[in-house]
Amino acid sequence: MRIGVLAIQGDFVEHIAMLSQLGVNALAIRLPSQLAELDGLIIPGGESTTMSRLMEDYNLTSPIKELVCQGLPILGTCAGLVLLAKKVTNSVNGSLGIMDIEVERNAFGRQADSFETDLPIPILGDHPFHGVFIRAPLIREVESAVEILCQLSNGAIVAAKQNNCLACSFHPELTDDSRFHEYFLNLTKEGAFAKRNH
Ligand code: GLN
C-alpha cells in the first residue's frame, strides 16, 4: 500500500514515521506527478494558510481535489482538517473544500490553545485515545452526510468522516498510539470508504 503525506509544510515527518512503523510505504509528496498511484493521502498539521498558499504554488490543490473527488482516501489532521472544510470561520475557506463541515480555526483561544486530553473514540474501541491539541480547529457544524467520530465532553466535534475523507482536530501522529492511522489504513484497504465525494 502506498500512502502519500503532503510534505511541503507542517509535521509530515511524524506521519511518515507512524506509517513506516506500520509497515506502509509512505511517500513525501511535493510534486503533482507524485500523486499518481497513491492508495491514500495525508494532509498533516501545520499552518493552514501557509500550506494552502504553498499548495497553490506547487500546483497541488486542483489535482488533489480531483483525486479525492474520484475516491482517493484522504486524512487531514489539524491544519489538514481546516483545508478539507467547505466553510472556515476565522480564516479563508479550506482550499480543498471537500467536506461538508464548518470549522473554526484556532478555536481554543489563547489560554488553552494547546492542551492534551483523553478522548472517547468508539470506532477505535473502548480504550481512550490521547488527543494532542495544538492551536487546534473545531468542527462547529456538520451536514447529514458527515459521521461524527469524536466529541469533547462539551460536545465540540473533533473528528469526523465523510465518504473517503477522514479528519481530526488533534495530532494522532504525535502519540505512540497508531490506532487512528490504522483505522484510516483499514478503511483504505477495505475500500470501505464510499467511492466518491462531490
Ligand atoms: N492553527 C493552525 C491552522 O489553523 C493549525 C495548527 C496545527 O496544525 N497544529 O492552520
Side-chain angles (χ1 to χ4, degrees), residues 139-150:
I139 302 172
R140 289 285 179 213
E141 300 279 344
V142 299
E143 289 195 7
S144 57
V146 178
E147 188 184 339
I148 295 170
L149 302 181
C150 180

Side-chain angles (χ1 to χ4, degrees), residues 175-195:
T175 67
D176 51 18
D177 189 338
S178 57
R179 284 179 296 159
F180 204 85
H181 285 77
E182 286 174 70
Y183 175 68
F184 176 65
L185 296 172
N186 284 335
L187 291 173
T188 301
K189 249 186 255 168
E190 290 161 13
F193 275 132
K195 267 271 171 270

